[in-house]
């Protein structure tokens, strides 16, 4: 039985053009940051941590501008609930990963956050400059990567992690790898889940940018209650604690994503605080 194609809404042709503009802007932005912004920043006084903080600040502002652009031209709408509770020292922000833009929303809302990113992005000509200058951790699944991630948490940084390791397939629930829990148990003061809902689904893995949905994408990003990893780490040995924590988180995200999105009007302007849109 074939499904009936959805009619194209929300100025579909304009959204196609605007999406192409957005992807071009994103690629050029990465190159311009690498060539024009980061080199002068490195000439300013300060050590490695100062250089990374300046680079992360530039990315935070750039991503916020990029989100504002996508909202203004009608590609998407976003509501971010509870963003003011993100960015605490030693906090692991743990989010599901339905689309390509998830990291943009989180980095654009959390100042001076570190992030675990795909290893391939470190060699991509459009993204390697920002990743290297911001000191992001590349996910090569080595023991050294786990040590570095735990160290940044112990040193008081905020760390953004997508424990699926890749985007959630359409019509599937998130499947978390235990590596994120192993890092949390070794270094995080607190774990804060972030539930990302989007409809209609788009920008999934392997989907070309021009296959835009029939209507505007709508994101609702909800910050959950803080979780103390010691609940598992103080009771069980590390491998068992990691399995139990991962199972709990998987059940938590599955239950939250099955709920309707929280009520509230989707806003059009970015803001630093929760309960507001991007």
């Amino acid at each position: 039985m074939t499904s009936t194609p959805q009619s194209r809404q929300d100025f579909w042709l304009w959204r196609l053009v605007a999406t192409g503009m957005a992807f071009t802007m994103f690629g050029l932005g990465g190159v311009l940051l690498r060539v024009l912004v980061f080199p002068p920043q490195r000439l300013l006084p300060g050590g490695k941590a100062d250089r990374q903080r300046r680079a992360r600040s530039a990315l935070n502002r750039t991503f916020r501008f990029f989100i504002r652009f996508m909202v203004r031209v009608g590609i998407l709408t976003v509501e971010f609930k509870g963003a003011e509770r993100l960015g605490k020292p030693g906090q692991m922000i743990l989010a599901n990963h339905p689309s390509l833009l998830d990291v943009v929303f989180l980095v654009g809302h959390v100042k001076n956050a570190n992030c675990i990113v795909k290893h391939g992005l470190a060699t991509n000509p459009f993204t390697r400059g920002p990743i290297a200058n911001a000191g992001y951790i590349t996910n090569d699944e080595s023991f050294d990567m786990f040590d570095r991630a735990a160290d940044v948490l112990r040193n008081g940084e905020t760390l953004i992690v997508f424990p699926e390791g890749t985007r959630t397939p359409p019509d599937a629930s998130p499947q978390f790898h235990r590596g994120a829990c192993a890092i949390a148990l070794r270094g995080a003061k607190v774990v804060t889940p972030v539930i990302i809902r989007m409809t209609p689904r788009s920008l999934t893995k392997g989907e070309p940018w021009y296959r835009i949905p029939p209507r505007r994408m709508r994101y609702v990003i909800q910050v959950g209650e803080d979780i103390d990893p010691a609940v598992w780490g103080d009771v069980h040995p590390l491998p068992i604690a990691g399995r139990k924590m991962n199972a709990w988180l998987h059940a938590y995200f599955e239950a939250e994503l099955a709920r309707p999105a929280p009520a509230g009007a989707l806003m059009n302007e970015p803001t630093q605080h929760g309960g507001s849109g991007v």
Side-chain angles (χ1 to χ4, degrees), residues 3-278:
S3 58
T4 303
Q6 291 183 288
S7 61
R8 294 172 174 176
Q9 305 170 19
D10 295 337
F11 303 99
W12 183 89
L13 185 58
W14 165 246
R15 285 190 294 109
L16 177 63
V17 173
T19 301
M21 293 166 56
F23 270 81
T24 302
M25 179 187 296
F26 187 87
L28 289 177
V31 174
L32 292 175
L33 285 170
R34 179 184 174 189
V35 174
L36 299 179
V37 176
F38 297 141
Q41 285 186 342
R42 288 195 292 269
L43 299 177
L44 297 174
K48 180 179 178 181
D50 297 301
R51 292 193 296 272
Q52 289 179 348
R53 184 164 50 251
R54 288 191 286 262
R56 292 173 188 177
S57 177
L59 282 173
N60 174 268
R61 293 194 300 270
T62 300
F63 282 177
R64 291 181 69 80
F65 172 81
F66 183 62
I67 297 167
R68 184 181 291 113
F69 171 80
M70 290 188 292
V71 171
R72 287 288 182 86
V73 299
I75 295 172
L76 53 83
T77 58
V78 188
E79 184 178 13
F80 205 130
K81 293 173 173 288
E84 76 280 0
R85 294 192 285 112
L86 300 178
K88 292 177 280 192
Q91 179 186 44
M92 176 186 278
I93 299 171
L94 195 149
N96 61 307
H97 196 7
S99 82
L100 184 65
L101 296 174
D102 306 326
V103 67
V104 174
F105 293 131
L106 291 180
V107 171
H109 272 83
V110 186
K111 291 184 176 181
N112 197 33
N114 206 325
C115 187
I116 297 180
V117 299
K118 285 185 177 181
H119 184 67
L121 295 176
T123 58
N124 185 301
F126 299 108
T127 56
R128 66 185 183 187
I131 288 171
N133 284 273
Y136 289 163
I137 299 168
T138 56
N139 183 11
D140 54 10
E141 298 184 345
S142 66
F143 287 111
D144 180 58
M145 185 274 290
F146 291 117
D147 290 338
R148 284 183 286 125
D151 283 344
V152 303
L153 288 164
R154 286 192 289 261
N155 291 336
E157 294 187 38
T158 302
L159 181 64
I160 298 170
V161 181
F162 295 94
E164 295 171 82
T166 188
R167 280 164 272 174
T168 314
D171 303 318
S173 60
Q175 299 295 320
F176 293 165
H177 298 291
R178 290 202 299 269
C181 292
I183 295 168
L185 290 164
R186 294 167 65 186
K189 293 180 180 179
V190 65
V191 174
T192 305
V194 175
I195 299 92
I196 302 175
R197 298 177 175 89
M198 69 169 300
T199 181
R201 287 293 304 275
S202 185
L203 300 177
T204 55
K205 188 174 178 62
E207 187 175 25
W209 68 265
Y210 51 82
R211 191 175 295 164
I212 66 170
R215 54 192 172 87
R216 188 183 311 178
M217 294 180 289
R218 288 172 169 81
Y219 285 84
V220 178
I221 304 173
Q222 175 76 45
V223 178
E225 296 299 321
D226 291 343
I227 302 163
D228 185 356
V231 169
W232 297 275
D234 288 352
V235 177
H236 305 286
L238 189 60
I240 297 174
R243 287 197 297 271
K244 288 184 175 293
M245 183 179 178
N246 190 67
W248 188 91
L249 285 168
H250 181 266
Y252 172 86
F253 272 85
E254 195 170 52
E256 288 296 318
L257 289 168
R259 302 174 190 270
L266 296 177
M267 309 293 288
N268 289 331
E269 289 293 333
T271 163
Q272 284 297 112
H273 303 291
S276 57
V278 178

